């Protein structure tokens, strides 16, 4: 999975788009059911590698969302 330092490379617009995509995935994914190819592709683009373990996937999604929102908040304070 992408680490927080990769978030620094994204501009605010990209961070907001990432947060929105993560939000949609969190709302629509049921990690205990088979993932569609589209979901697998989206998760891969976001840097998620361990997508077959529902517990790890759920934790990774939550952590990624937290990291992304924290980065947005930090950038917003600088403006």
């Amino acid at each position: 999975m992408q680490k927080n330092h990769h978030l620094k490379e994204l501009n605010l617009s990209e961070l907001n788009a990432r947060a929105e995509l993560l939000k949609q995935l969190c709302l629509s994914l049921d990690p205990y059911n088979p993932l569609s190819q589209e979901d697998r592709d989206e998760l891969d683009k976001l840097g998620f590698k361990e997508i077959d373990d529902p517990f790890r996937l759920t934790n990774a999604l939550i952590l990624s969302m937290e990291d992304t929102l924290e980065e947005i908040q930090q950038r917003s304070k600088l403006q």
Side-chain angles (χ1 to χ4, degrees):
M1 188 182 81
Q2 291 182 346
K3 298 295 180 198
N4 196 23
H5 67 273
H6 288 104
L7 296 177
K8 304 261 185 237
E9 299 171 4
L10 302 176
N11 64 39
L12 195 53
S13 177
E14 291 168 327
L15 284 169
N16 283 320
R18 179 182 174 84
E20 185 59 34
L21 180 55
L22 285 166
K23 176 183 170 186
Q24 292 305 317
L25 284 169
C26 287
L27 291 173
S28 66
L29 275 184
D30 178 355
Y32 293 95
N33 284 318
L35 298 171
S36 70
Q37 188 59 48
E38 181 181 345
D39 289 338
R40 288 179 170 279
D41 292 344
E42 289 295 331
L43 290 166
D44 186 56
K45 280 194 284 187
L46 289 168
F48 293 92
K49 302 300 178 205
E50 297 184 51
I51 62 174
D52 292 322
D53 180 333
F55 181 75
R56 287 181 187 235
L57 177 56
T58 301
N59 284 340
L61 281 167
I62 292 168
L63 290 174
S64 184
M65 178 61 96
E66 287 177 352
D67 289 346
T68 302
L69 293 175
E70 284 176 13
E71 185 67 26
I72 290 170
Q73 185 179 26
Q74 288 175 0
R75 301 254 188 111
S76 296
K77 286 180 183 178
L78 297 175
Q79 293 181 353

